[in-house]
Amino acid sequence: MLEFIFGPANSGKSQTVYRRIAEALQRRAASVVLLVPEQNSFESERAILKYVGSRASQRVEVLTFSRLAELVTRQVGGAPGLPLDDGGRLIFMGQALEKARPALRYYAGQADRQAFIRAALDMIGELKQCGLTPDGLLALANDLPEGTLRAKVEDFSRMMGEYDALVASRNMDKDDLLTRLYDALAECSFFEGKQVFFDAFFGFTGQQWKVIDRIFQQSDALCFALPADAAEDKAQGLGIFSNIHKTAARLRRMAAANGVRTAAPLVLPHAFFEDPALTALESGFRQTGAPYEEETDALTVVSAGNLYEEVDFAARTIHRMVRTTPGLRYRDFVLIARDMHSYQNAVETVFARYDIPVFIDEQREAASMPVMTAWLGLLAYTFQIYFDFAGYSDMAIGLGRMFGFHFLENFDYPYLSKSITEFWRRWHISLGTWFREYVYIPLGGNRVGHYRHLWNLFVTFLVSGIWHGANLTFVLWG
């Protein structure tokens, strides 16, 4: 059965999903899968724990598409390969363009430019998210009349093919993760017998649509919570929720194609704010109605002469409210801009004038990081991992001493070591001692021939890697 939960923002869609999950677990459902966007996973896990309890939550898998891909791929047994960072992807893209360049019809003259390499990588990433492959692009190009557009599409088909061939041999591109998930679900009945809920999505990419089709083939109990104010598109494609209704219509068609019936949708009532003016404002975005005539302090519209005047008004207002309102702090405010890149300099300058601390959230590519910053980050991480391991060891030693137990030191100033051998003896002493006494020495230690000694070392460190984590990267580390 395919179910829909419709409702605008703040109408309780997520809470309804959590209650439905609790009801499904009470009916002794085998297990439940809740799929959410990447940024919602932690909050959803907390909410599930609150709504269903710690024991029942063990039967609920809160997953994102990427975590689902890793889980299913691991079950099928196919190693996903070493993930590529942004710098590695650029290197492979440059090599792919170099190989494809003799066959390129339109982009041959730009293939060696750094800016084009980056742009081509971004474009190929978008094409993959739409579910397109090199063969699919080539078929599309063959349907086009001879001309510039056909030459461009053919070039991207060749570039994507060369890039995929280079990456697939040893590594894994993050843009291919869902494609691998789609293929893996053909060999693994991961969703069979499970109820599947989707929450907090506004739409789906081409790759995600393919995965959803696989889910329909395995599960006949799916529920989608979608942000819309009605079950049908009354605006006939021109409303702010029209794209959501197109998504719902496609899901209905997909369900019908897989023999899954669609239940009557649940439409939640509109959200109401504490202030009636904000309720009227929210309603006005969805539909045309009577204007709100009452006076209100909940909303202020300011006409500013330029960008800096806008920011100055916001800073002055925040500064005044913090000084005059007991208990209010600067961290209680959020500043939202349509394009934060344009406002960043003004915000940093003006807010500093009022002594207002400001944190600006922005993404930066690792490849653009200065070399000195990268080295400082590497150095800081060495201390972080030391304080992490040595810190809990010292806590255990101290707590044991309080109860009359005496534990040995586990870390003996390892960063003062003069050799790798000395470092190994000073780092994680209890673990190194255990492997020496129970793995290395029983195998013969160094009191054997040269090749046997090398074998003993290899086995000891291999087991050490597996002990740190049942993951290919830890095995290679060992």
Side-chain angles (χ1 to χ4, degrees), residues 89 119-132 160 175 205-207:
R89 295 171 72 233
L121 185 61
D122 292 340
M123 176 60 74
I124 287 175
E126 291 187 25
L127 292 172
K128 288 183 176 181
Q129 289 179 14
C130 293
L132 291 171
M160 185 188 296
D175 292 329
T205 65
Q207 290 174 311

Side-chain angles (χ1 to χ4, degrees), residues 25 29-32 48-49 52-62:
L25 295 175
S31 60
V32 173
I48 288 295
L49 188 63
V52 307
S54 58
R55 174 171 295 183
S57 66
Q58 297 176 13
R59 293 159 55 200
V60 182
E61 295 180 271
V62 180

Side-chain angles (χ1 to χ4, degrees), residues 229-245:
D229 60 347
E232 302 296 335
D233 187 9
K234 299 177 182 179
Q236 299 181 346
L238 301 177
I240 61 174
F241 295 117
S242 293
N243 284 334
I244 302 297
H245 289 296

Side-chain angles (χ1 to χ4, degrees), residues 1-58:
M1 185 70 71
L2 170 63
E3 297 180 278
F4 288 106
I5 300 172
F6 292 106
N10 203 33
S11 60
K13 294 185 297 298
S14 294
Q15 289 78 6
T16 304
V17 168
Y18 303 146
R19 287 193 291 270
R20 290 282 184 91
I21 291 175
E23 293 169 2
L25 295 175
Q26 290 175 358
R27 293 195 303 268
R28 303 298 182 188
S31 60
V32 173
V33 175
L34 173 60
L35 275 167
V36 295
E38 299 287 342
Q39 67 273 17
N40 290 68
S41 58
F42 178 70
E43 193 64 35
S44 297
E45 287 175 347
R46 288 183 57 189
I48 288 295
L49 188 63
K50 172 185 174 182
Y51 273 81
V52 307
S54 58
R55 174 171 295 183
S57 66
Q58 297 176 13

Side-chain angles (χ1 to χ4, degrees), residues 445-457:
N446 59 357
R447 297 181 180 181
V448 291
H450 177 67
Y451 291 106
R452 178 67 182 184
H453 180 215
L454 293 178
W455 172 254
N456 294 344
L457 287 172

Side-chain angles (χ1 to χ4, degrees), residues 154-470:
E154 287 178 350
D155 282 0
F156 268 101
S157 172
R158 294 187 179 95
M159 289 186 283
M160 185 188 296
E162 293 289 353
Y163 177 76
D164 288 347
L166 285 171
V167 172
S169 58
R170 299 184 300 274
N171 299 86
M172 190 272 294
D173 189 339
K174 62 182 181 181
D175 292 329
D176 295 325
L177 196 60
L178 296 190
T179 300
R180 296 195 179 197
L181 170 61
Y182 174 76
D183 295 335
L185 283 173
E187 306 174 31
C188 171
S189 300
F190 180 83
F191 291 98
E192 189 171 340
K194 297 180 180 179
Q195 287 191 250
V196 188
F197 292 82
F198 290 78
D199 185 34
F201 287 99
F202 290 86
F204 302 100
T205 65
Q207 290 174 311
Q208 290 172 343
W209 275 115
K210 287 186 174 182
V211 173
I212 293 172
D213 187 48
R214 286 275 197 245
I215 297 175
F216 270 112
Q217 295 171 16
Q218 298 182 11
S219 173
D220 59 357
L222 295 92
C223 179
F224 289 81
L226 297 175
D229 60 347
E232 302 296 335
D233 187 9
K234 299 177 182 179
Q236 299 181 346
L238 301 177
I240 61 174
F241 295 117
S242 293
N243 284 334
I244 302 297
H245 289 296
K246 290 178 181 177
T247 298
R250 184 170 179 178
L251 288 169
R252 291 189 184 99
R253 292 194 300 270
M254 194 173 285
N258 287 281
V260 178
R261 293 183 296 119
T262 301
L266 171 64
V267 182
L268 300 177
H270 298 157
F272 291 95
F273 296 89
E274 293 183 3
D275 192 288
L278 294 181
T279 300
L281 178 66
E282 191 271 340
S283 177
F285 280 109
R286 294 182 283 104
Q287 57 190 3
T288 303
Y292 184 79
E293 303 287 355
E294 305 296 328
E295 294 186 3
T296 179
D297 295 328
L299 180 70
T300 303
V301 180
V302 178
S303 175
N306 53 52
L307 182 146
Y308 278 85
E309 286 187 14
E310 286 185 63
V311 176
D312 185 77
F313 174 82
R316 278 190 287 111
T317 303
I318 293 171
H319 185 66
R320 172 178 53 78
M321 293 179 68
V322 168
R323 294 184 62 183
T324 58
T325 307
L328 197 61
R329 292 170 290 184
Y330 289 126
R331 70 180 187 182
D332 297 327
F333 291 87
V334 176
L335 183 68
I336 302 174
R338 179 184 294 273
D339 178 15
M340 199 62 207
H341 180 72
S342 302
Y343 282 81
Q344 182 169 344
N345 289 336
V347 169
E348 291 175 346
T349 302
V350 175
F351 275 59
R353 190 188 308 154
Y354 288 92
D355 293 325
I356 300 175
V358 59
F359 171 76
I360 299 178
D361 186 15
E362 60 176 339
Q363 292 183 339
R364 292 184 181 179
E365 294 187 12
S368 64
M369 184 183 298
V371 175
M372 183 58 68
T373 303
W375 276 106
L376 286 174
L378 182 64
L379 180 63
Y381 183 71
T382 61
F383 284 101
Q384 176 190 331
I385 197 170
Y386 170 71
F387 292 142
D388 183 16
F389 280 113
Y392 75 69
S393 297
D394 290 340
M395 290 170 63
I397 292 170
L399 290 170
R401 186 70 57 87
M402 293 170 62
F403 291 97
F405 297 97
H406 293 269
F407 299 122
L408 297 176
E409 287 289 338
N410 203 19
F411 289 83
D412 184 18
Y413 303 100
Y415 290 147
L416 299 181
S417 304
K418 298 179 181 178
S419 66
I420 296 296
T421 303
E422 184 182 0
F423 177 84
W424 182 255
R425 290 172 181 165
R426 289 168 173 256
W427 180 275
H428 216 325
I429 299 170
S430 61
L431 180 66
T433 302
W434 191 92
F435 278 112
R436 185 179 70 246
E437 299 294 335
Y438 293 97
V439 180
Y440 179 66
I441 292 178
L443 288 172
N446 59 357
R447 297 181 180 181
V448 291
H450 177 67
Y451 291 106
R452 178 67 182 184
H453 180 215
L454 293 178
W455 172 254
N456 294 344
L457 287 172
F458 174 79
V459 172
T460 302
F461 280 94
L462 177 64
V463 174
S464 171
I466 296 173
W467 179 89
H468 279 83

